[in-house]
Amino acid sequence: MAMRSAVLFTLFAALPSCWGADAAQAERLRRFNEAKFGMFIHWGPYSLASVEASWPIMRPERHPGITEAEYRALPQRFNPVQFDPRAWVRLAKAAGQRYMVFTSKHHDGFCMFDSLFTSYKITRTPFKKDIAAMLASAAREEKLPFGFYYSPPDMNHPGFRDTSKPSSANWGGEPERPEWPLYLSYMELQIRELLTRYGDIFVIWFDGLSNREKYDGLRFHRIIHEIQPLALINNRIGPIGDFVTPEQRLPKGIPVKGAQILGTSAALDKGLSAKAPKPEDFQPWETCMTINNTWGYNKNDRKFKSSRDLIRALIDAASKGGNFLLNVGPTPEGTIQPEFEERLLAIGAWLKINGEAIYGTTYGPLQDISFGRMTAKGKTLYLHVYDWPKEAIELKGLASKVVRVTTLDGNKPLKFTQTGGTLRIPITGLKPDPAATVISLLTR
């Protein structure tokens, strides 16, 4: 795979200048839009304590239960002997997920890859093996696009902050210190490792928290595009990147160029359209979401979202042109808990029938459907029906002429009438799907 990456780089370097950055971005976004649904994985020694990744040492008042010293000692007994990377990848594929994003380093600074530039890493634990390499290899063998989450904040590095103080005192970093350029060089060395040692990378998913301009994001954009031109970059290191990233929620409208989608701060979102925008105005985006309420494994968190709600979250994201990155937090033994697996497989079963209405689609022309959502692909519109009517589905405001209506479940043709902008589809004899029934509308 390293040879393949080298060939890719040589190919892109040799392309005429007219192909350039715009064409590379177009190809990145085509791959991103086609994939639509991915698996996010937050995993590290913190799974041993059933606490969230990093935040217990950064904001202990909000995440109590473990001291910083106890947290930092967790790698000494991290030994996930049941870890089977191929099983994880096959589960993602069975769930219908088309890419995987793995946490190479979270804010605590612990590396789940064998970085040459730190001893705070997975190969210094009892497990000793490079987990990132194992998972990247399994994904490559199973032909699942693979990417890395990488945290610019680093509580362990003395260049990021004065480590003689508790992490809670200066977790935002201290760019005013003379050591800061050394930290950025450390980041560059590790990003280069991730881009050159683990095969083709689908995405580098940064998570810079606040004041992201301190990371000199353009520097890292250039490095990534030079080494792996087709690797996507999100918006959490300063520059807007290829896509923006709401977290644990779905935007109330369609993001357009210039949109500000700021993590979990829904009240600060700007640049959302209530109607379908022109394609050139659309801002690509992806929401990341947990199955329960925590990113890392927490045996005490039993507040699992239902399969139906997760399927509808995927639909809602697609209906606004976005992607859905669904997180799992594996156990300290290296397995994925059965409650997660059950929900992932249920989503996969729904996608086996209805995936046509998700993969490669974009936002539908109607965004105010009270009983469901709409996605679109070429001349086909997909109506995702949540609330089943008694006699007929009525869709108002559709400007396109409909020439054929079918169900995706069995591809059964349906009778319909279209008069004065209202499409009416009788539903006698149809059995609704409890998550969402998809009806395909071929337009002229």
Side-chain angles (χ1 to χ4, degrees):
M1 186 56 73
M3 180 178 293
R4 183 181 172 191
S5 294
V7 171
L8 255 181
F9 177 68
T10 303
L11 172 63
F12 275 92
L15 286 171
S17 59
C18 62
W19 204 86
D22 289 346
Q25 185 184 41
E27 177 60 13
R28 291 196 299 272
L29 292 177
R30 185 199 65 77
R31 295 170 67 196
F32 183 68
N33 187 63
E34 175 61 33
K36 260 317 179 266
F37 184 34
M39 176 181 280
F40 212 1
I41 302 172
H42 279 68
W43 195 37
Y46 48 84
S47 63
L48 286 163
S50 282
V51 296
E52 194 59 280
S54 305
W55 287 101
I57 63 175
M58 294 161 58
R59 298 297 297 269
E61 75 282 5
R62 296 187 181 182
H63 301 268
I66 190 171
T67 67
E68 183 155 357
E70 291 169 336
Y71 186 99
R72 292 191 177 279
L74 291 172
Q76 298 172 18
R77 54 189 182 90
F78 188 54
N79 190 21
V81 294
Q82 296 181 44
F83 172 53
D84 180 351
R86 187 167 296 226
W88 288 17
V89 172
R90 287 178 174 173
L91 175 60
K93 292 180 71 174
Q97 292 166 312
R98 295 286 181 91
Y99 60 106
M100 177 179 282
V101 183
F102 180 68
T103 47
S104 65
K105 184 190 76 164
H106 208 265
H107 312 320
D108 55 16
F110 184 83
C111 293
M112 293 290 281
F113 66 106
D114 188 23
S115 175
L116 297 175
F117 307 104
T118 183
S119 60
Y120 196 47
K121 59 183 178 178
I122 186 62
T123 49
R124 293 293 185 93
T125 68
F127 190 67
K128 300 186 185 321
K129 302 172 187 176
D130 186 337
I131 281 175
M134 296 170 69
L135 195 54
S137 177
R140 181 168 60 250
E141 291 171 4
E142 294 286 335
K143 296 181 172 54
L144 183 72
F146 183 80
F148 286 116
Y149 168 109
Y150 181 89
S151 167
D154 190 317
M155 301 305 110
N156 191 62
H157 198 284
F160 179 78
R161 66 181 194 91
D162 180 354
T163 53
S164 69
K165 299 177 181 179
S167 296
S168 58
N170 52 9
W171 60 267
E174 298 173 305
E176 69 280 2
R177 296 170 69 233
E179 294 88 347
W180 189 257
L182 296 176
Y183 177 65
L184 294 184
S185 294
Y186 172 76
M187 277 183 58
E188 178 174 335
L189 289 168
Q190 290 200 322
I191 292 297
R192 288 184 179 276
E193 287 182 307
L194 295 175
L195 292 169
T196 58
R197 290 168 47 190
Y198 298 93
D200 292 338
I201 300 302
F202 182 72
V203 63
I204 295 290
W205 212 103
F206 290 112
D207 196 5
L209 302 180
S210 60
N211 302 317
R212 299 167 186 168
E213 64 278 359
K214 62 180 177 280
Y215 299 113
D216 189 11
L218 289 176
R219 168 182 179 177
F220 294 97
H221 276 231
R222 284 194 295 269
I223 292 165
I224 294 166
H225 290 157
E226 285 171 2
I227 299 174
Q228 297 223 23
L230 294 186
L232 290 142
I233 308 172
N234 73 340
N235 66 324
R236 296 196 185 191
I237 197 172
I240 194 66
D242 293 302
F243 60 99
V244 298
T245 51
E247 182 174 317
Q248 292 284 45
R249 62 191 173 84
L250 292 150
K252 294 182 179 179
I254 301 174
V256 294
K257 294 289 175 64
Q260 299 178 38
I261 307 291
L262 304 176
T264 57
S265 304
L268 298 178
D269 285 358
K270 297 178 182 179
L272 299 178
S273 175
K275 297 181 179 180
K278 296 178 180 178
E280 61 268 24
D281 294 332
F282 172 66
Q283 170 59 61
W285 64 277
E286 171 196 76
T287 192
C288 53
M289 189 176 292
T290 54
I291 293 177
N292 50 5
N293 288 332
T294 46
W295 296 98
Y297 173 72
N298 188 332
K299 64 183 180 182
N300 304 309
D301 183 356
R302 310 297 297 174
K303 295 181 179 179
F304 303 109
K305 299 176 181 69
S306 69
S307 301
R308 189 201 73 164
D309 287 348
L310 292 170
I311 290 169
R312 290 187 178 185
L314 170 61
I315 294 169
D316 194 40
S319 75
K320 296 182 176 74
N323 281 27
F324 188 50
L325 187 62
L326 185 60
N327 182 76
V328 296
T331 70
E333 293 78 26
T335 61
I336 294 176
Q337 65 190 89
E339 294 88 353
F340 289 177
E341 185 171 350
E342 175 188 350
R343 285 156 176 79
L344 289 168
L345 293 176
I347 299 171
W350 186 87
L351 283 167
K352 281 184 179 179
I353 296 170
N354 302 292
E356 175 189 329
I358 298 293
Y359 303 122
T361 63
T362 188
Y363 48 85
L366 300 182
Q367 290 291 310
D368 57 351
I369 302 172
S370 61
F371 56 83
R373 298 290 185 271
M374 177 178 284
T375 56
K377 186 191 302 179
K379 293 184 177 181
T380 303
L381 307 178
Y382 299 98
L383 188 60
H384 302 255
V385 182
Y386 296 169
D387 301 322
W388 203 247
K390 291 182 178 179
E391 296 181 357
I393 295 168
E394 288 194 353
L395 188 64
K396 297 182 179 181
L398 188 62
S400 302
K401 174 66 175 177
V402 175
V403 296
R404 181 178 170 85
V405 177
T406 59
T407 61
L408 289 193
D409 181 2
N411 199 32
K412 178 183 177 181
L414 300 179
K415 294 180 180 179
F416 67 95
T417 58
Q418 187 175 16
T419 307
T422 297
L423 180 71
R424 190 174 190 276
I425 307 169
I427 59 169
T428 304
L430 293 181
K431 183 179 179 181
D433 186 296
T437 303
V438 183
I439 297 174
S440 171
L441 313 176
L442 179 62
T443 66
R444 181 179 300 163

